[in-house]
């Protein structure tokens, strides 16, 4: 069975690559048509896709999915359509003097790579399949997509819809479990995009390396919130609560832990708690609040809390409606704040990816900066405060994939900013012109004039006086 699946995937890759090669050079109009079809798929079937996502999670807000997975992804397509002519323009480059005077020319052409593989995750199953697809298509490529088996209904529906809107040699979706994903990541694509955990990202990169396939890895990590003394703790708390509670914290850019001034800890915690209460007066029967995606993920999160409790953390459940979660069978979890955390707690070692929020305190903000620098570089970093010098000190002395100040997560929704991590939080980026170029080959082209440049430059044997003079001039 495994061999049959490999044969099927290899045949699909061959079909797409042959079609890609035969269609060269392909018009920008054809690229735009594919993007428009992807957008039409989402517009025509947005409600059904949102219902499938809710069913996969157990409970997930249709309205939230419509914003994050449907409307936001259509926005990616609109941005590509608006800018791709500009992104694809050939760039003139300079040539060394006096070659320009003699008629030499140089340029960079941004050309499609071929067939791009997209391994997408379960947390935003439509967005994280179709957002990179928009730029893959804008750059002129074909695409094979392997969505997550955790959101089985959504993956099956996407596969069905893609067959309606695209031929298999343009875009195809492959479904299946971890074995299919492993086979998929071992195919000799022209580029491979993976969104998921750092641990799985390492395996994907190892697999891609066998065929020297370039990768874009959108991973995660522990994205810190650093709160300065000048922060408005009530307003900041509400914004942190919104980012942490959206999708029940199952977001790669979700604020993972807070670092707050020692004497402001209670104020910071109260700000977040009040924010939760204002937005989610109840949780269990509240359609606005998502379930944890699976029993395994739910048990892992409960384990993080118990481990922290056993090691001395103060555990604060933010439960505005005083509901009984113990007897509920919905995989819903209240925001759980952990105070007095230490680095030996699992919650401070692993990406949390759920509604658990550790809080650390500092005497001087450089303690927070040093802590961030001593750990893996995060996908996102968030600073709250009105002290511009302090803000710039935090940003100048830390490294992260991206930054939002005085809020969380928002930088990913800015269509003209690249989105990506650094080191363990990711490799490469997409969105904006950087995404278009990620899925393009920057092809260097040099046009030689009629004059014998090699002879003029002293490059032709027999070497002698002209060669020595050319070398001397090059070193001036």
């Amino acid at each position: 069975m495994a061999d049959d699946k490999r044969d099927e995937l290899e045949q699909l890759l061959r079909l797409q690559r042959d079609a890609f090669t035969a269609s060269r050079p392909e018009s920008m109009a054809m690229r735009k048509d594919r993007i428009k079809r992807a957008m039409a798929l989402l517009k025509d079937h947005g409600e059904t896709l949102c219902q499938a996502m809710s069913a996969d999670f157990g409970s997930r807000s249709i309205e939230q999915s419509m914003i994050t997975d449907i409307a936001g992804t259509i926005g990616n397509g609109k941005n590509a359509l608006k800018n791709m002519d500009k992104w694809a323009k050939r760039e003139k480059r300079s040539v060394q003097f006096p070659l320009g005077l003699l008629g030499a020319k140089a340029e960079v052409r941004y050309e499609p790579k071929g067939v791009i593989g997209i391994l997408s995750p379960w947390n935003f199953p439509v967005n994280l399949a179709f957002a990179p697809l928009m730029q893959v298509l804008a750059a002129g490529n074909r695409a094979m997509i392997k969505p997550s088996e955790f959101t089985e209904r959504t993956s099956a529906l996407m596969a069905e819809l893609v067959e309606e809107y695209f031929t298999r040699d343009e875009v195809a979706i492959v479904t299946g479990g971890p074995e299919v994903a492993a086979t998929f990541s071992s195919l000799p694509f022209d580029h491979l995009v993976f969104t998921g955990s750092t641990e799985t990202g390492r395996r994907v990169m190892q697999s891609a390396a066998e065929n020297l396939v370039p990768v874009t890895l959108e991973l995660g990590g522990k994205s810190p919130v650093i709160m300065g003394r000048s922060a408005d703790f009530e307003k900041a708390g509400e914004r942190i609560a919104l980012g942490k509670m959206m999708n029940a914290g199952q977001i790669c850019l979700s604020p993972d832990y807070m670092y707050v001034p020692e004497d402001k800890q209670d104020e910071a915690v109260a700000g977040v708690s009040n924010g939760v209460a204002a937005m989610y007066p109840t949780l269990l029967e509240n359609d606005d609040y998502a379930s944890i995606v699976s029993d395994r993920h739910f048990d892992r999160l409960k384990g993080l809390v118990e481990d922290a409790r056993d090691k001395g953390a103060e555990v604060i459940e933010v439960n505005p409606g005083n509901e009984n979660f113990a007897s509920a069978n919905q995989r819903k979890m209240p925001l759980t704040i952990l105070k007095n955390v230490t680095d030996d707690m699992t919650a401070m070692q692993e990406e949390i990816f759920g509604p658990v929020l550790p809080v650390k305190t500092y005497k001087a903000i450089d303690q927070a900066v040093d802590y961030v620098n001593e750990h893996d570089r995060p996908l996102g970093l968030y600073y709250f405060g009105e002290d511009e010098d302090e803000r710039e000190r935090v940003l100048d002395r830390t490294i992260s994939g991206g930054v939002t100040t005085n809020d969380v997560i928002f930088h990913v929704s800015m269509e003209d900013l690249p989105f990506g991590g650094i080191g363990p939080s990711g490799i490469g980026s997409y969105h904006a012109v950087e995404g278009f170029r990620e899925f393009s080959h920057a092809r260097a082209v040099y046009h030689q004039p009629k004059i014998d440049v090699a002879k003029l430059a002293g490059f032709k044997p027999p070497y002698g006086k002209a060669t020595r003079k050319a070398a001397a001039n090059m070193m001036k």
Side-chain angles (χ1 to χ4, degrees):
M1 181 64 81
D3 288 342
D4 289 348
K5 195 65 181 180
R6 173 168 282 281
D7 289 345
E8 179 192 328
L9 293 179
E10 286 176 345
Q11 285 173 21
L12 179 56
L13 175 57
R14 198 155 44 243
L15 173 74
Q16 290 206 351
R17 186 168 283 132
D18 288 348
F20 168 79
T21 303
S23 70
R24 295 271 292 146
E26 202 164 60
S27 69
M28 292 296 282
M30 187 69 244
R31 299 186 193 187
K32 290 175 181 177
D33 176 67
R34 291 189 183 116
I35 293 171
K36 287 172 184 173
R37 277 185 273 152
M39 292 167 65
L41 182 159
L42 296 173
K43 285 179 182 175
D44 296 346
H45 302 281
E47 192 75 28
T48 314
L49 285 163
C50 290
Q51 288 166 356
M53 283 183 272
S54 183
D56 279 328
F57 272 74
S59 174
R60 177 167 140 150
S61 164
I62 301 293
E63 291 84 357
Q64 179 214 289
S65 293
M66 193 61 76
I67 290 171
T68 57
D69 281 80
I70 307 301
T73 312
I74 289 169
N76 291 128
K78 286 164 67 177
N79 188 57
L81 289 174
K82 179 182 175 184
N83 292 293
M84 57 195 282
D85 287 315
K86 178 176 64 180
W87 294 341
K89 271 188 178 174
R90 297 175 183 180
E91 273 183 19
K92 288 184 179 178
R93 297 291 179 95
S94 60
V95 296
Q96 294 93 316
F97 179 81
L99 291 174
L101 298 177
L102 300 173
K105 293 179 181 176
E107 63 183 353
V108 174
R109 300 181 181 187
Y110 293 99
E111 300 187 346
K113 289 185 171 184
V115 182
I116 312 292
I118 301 172
L119 275 163
S120 57
W122 53 263
N123 59 325
F124 292 102
V126 177
N127 177 285
L128 293 172
F130 278 80
L133 176 66
M134 298 297 186
Q135 291 194 306
V136 164
L137 297 177
N141 302 288
R142 310 295 169 113
M144 290 168 58
I145 303 170
K146 164 61 181 78
S148 172
E149 66 276 10
F150 280 111
T151 42
E152 191 175 2
R153 297 171 186 83
T154 308
S155 296
L157 179 57
M158 287 195 296
E160 182 185 316
L161 293 173
V162 161
E163 281 194 12
E164 283 182 33
Y165 286 76
F166 295 94
T167 58
R168 276 183 75 73
D169 63 10
E170 293 178 304
V171 180
I173 287 188
V174 177
T175 58
E179 303 83 7
V180 175
T183 303
F184 188 91
S185 65
S186 71
L187 295 175
F189 291 111
D190 298 294
H191 194 105
L192 181 61
V193 185
F194 168 77
T195 306
S197 71
T198 301
E199 180 188 350
T200 308
R202 285 193 177 95
R203 292 200 297 271
V204 168
M205 191 173 183
Q206 284 174 342
S207 192
E210 291 294 320
N211 294 304
L212 295 178
V213 174
V215 294
T216 302
L217 302 179
E218 299 298 344
L219 308 177
K222 300 187 74 61
S223 297
V225 175
I226 299 177
M227 302 182 78
R229 290 179 188 281
S230 60
D232 180 331
F233 287 87
E234 193 67 18
K235 185 186 292 183
E238 183 174 77
R239 293 177 180 185
I240 293 163
L242 176 59
K244 191 66 176 174
M245 298 292 276
M246 180 184 287
N247 212 36
Q250 298 165 108
I251 307 176
C252 58
L253 278 168
S254 179
D256 196 276
Y257 65 97
M258 291 199 309
Y259 227 129
V260 304
E262 200 172 56
D263 57 334
K264 298 281 189 178
Q265 180 176 209
D266 291 342
E267 197 175 340
V269 169
V272 174
S273 300
N274 292 341
V276 173
M279 291 181 284
Y280 301 95
T282 62
L283 298 170
L284 284 177
E285 302 302 325
N286 188 341
D287 289 340
D288 289 343
Y289 189 56
S291 297
I292 305 303
V293 73
S294 71
D295 290 341
R296 182 164 70 84
H297 287 80
F298 189 58
D299 291 341
R300 182 186 64 83
L301 289 165
K302 288 194 294 186
L304 291 182
V305 173
E306 289 315 306
D307 173 77
R309 193 194 308 271
D310 291 346
K311 291 172 181 171
E314 181 185 343
V315 177
I316 302 169
E317 279 194 3
V318 183
N319 183 0
N322 292 315
E323 295 167 284
N324 183 4
F325 285 82
S327 62
N329 189 28
Q330 300 175 46
R331 293 198 307 270
K332 284 198 173 183
M333 184 177 186
L335 178 64
T336 307
I337 296 173
L338 305 177
K339 290 170 69 176
N340 307 322
V341 292
T342 54
D343 284 354
D344 66 331
M345 296 173 185
T346 312
M348 290 309 297
Q349 296 169 358
E350 298 177 1
E351 181 179 8
I352 289 171
F353 223 72
V356 177
L357 184 62
V359 182
K360 288 181 73 69
T361 63
Y362 65 80
K363 287 187 171 67
I365 201 155
D366 281 351
Q367 284 177 257
V369 168
D370 291 344
Y371 186 85
V372 171
N373 287 335
E374 286 161 7
H375 293 79
D376 287 346
R377 288 168 177 168
L379 183 60
L381 183 143
Y382 310 116
Y383 171 82
F384 285 85
E386 301 307 318
D387 184 333
E388 288 187 22
D389 290 340
E390 183 180 79
R391 179 194 71 204
E392 290 307 305
R393 181 166 178 76
V394 170
L395 298 194
D396 287 345
R397 292 199 58 227
T398 58
I399 296 174
S400 68
V403 172
T404 295
T405 67
N406 287 318
D407 214 321
V408 298
I409 301 175
F410 264 84
H411 62 278
V412 71
S413 63
M414 299 301 111
E415 287 167 352
D416 202 29
L417 284 177
F419 168 59
I422 178 168
S425 61
I427 293 172
S429 60
Y430 62 94
H431 295 192
V433 65
E434 287 83 1
F436 178 88
R437 292 186 176 173
E438 186 89 352
F439 305 129
S440 301
H441 169 55
R443 192 179 190 186
V445 180
Y446 172 71
H447 302 283
Q448 187 73 288
K450 291 179 180 178
I451 193 166
D452 190 344
V453 171
K455 183 177 181 181
L456 187 72
F459 293 164
K460 271 189 177 178
Y463 298 128
K465 186 177 178 182
T467 309
R468 290 190 292 275
K469 183 179 178 184
N473 285 335
M474 287 169 72
M475 293 188 286
K476 280 182 180 176

